[in-house]
Amino acid sequence: MLICKVVKPLVSTNRIPDFEHKHLQVVQDGSTQKVAVDAVGCIPGDWVICVGSSAAREAAGSKSYPSDLTIVGIIDHWDPDAGKATPPASGTPSAAPAPQGGKA
């Protein structure tokens, strides 16, 4: 499973019949944009859970469905920066180097 952010809808007028009327969304996975089938009705800005491979086809409606990425859930609350180390603010002195052992 992946946590992605929905960027925008993707409109495609020419589709194979198996796509039916499922919505497509452009999602951001890190710095990579991907296209996912929207099985839950999300909107741009939502953080979502995506599945890939055979799970994506099953979640989209059928194992024969031509999808390799499907949105299966909308995350209620997600802080992508939680747990990341915060760099020191500009102008803040960094830690002094450890003293070297030995005599001069």
Side-chain angles (χ1 to χ4, degrees), residues 17-69:
D18 287 345
F19 263 129
E20 300 167 350
H21 295 288
K22 301 275 189 196
H23 291 213
L24 302 175
Q25 298 282 356
V26 176
V27 296
Q28 187 96 25
D29 174 20
S31 61
T32 305
Q33 289 189 344
K34 300 177 178 188
V35 176
V37 175
D38 183 359
V40 295
C42 56
I43 60 171
D46 282 344
W47 285 97
V48 294
I49 300 169
C50 297
V51 294
S53 190
S54 62
R57 291 187 293 278
E58 184 92 22
S62 168
K63 285 187 178 181
S64 65
Y65 197 82
S67 171
D68 63 352
L69 190 64

Side-chain angles (χ1 to χ4, degrees), residues 80-87:
D81 297 323
K84 288 185 182 177
T86 306

Side-chain angles (χ1 to χ4, degrees), residues 68-94:
D68 63 352
L69 190 64
T70 299
I71 299 167
V72 295
I74 300 171
I75 299 172
D76 293 327
H77 176 72
W78 171 250
D79 182 1
D81 297 323
K84 288 185 182 177
T86 306
S90 179
T92 304
S94 60

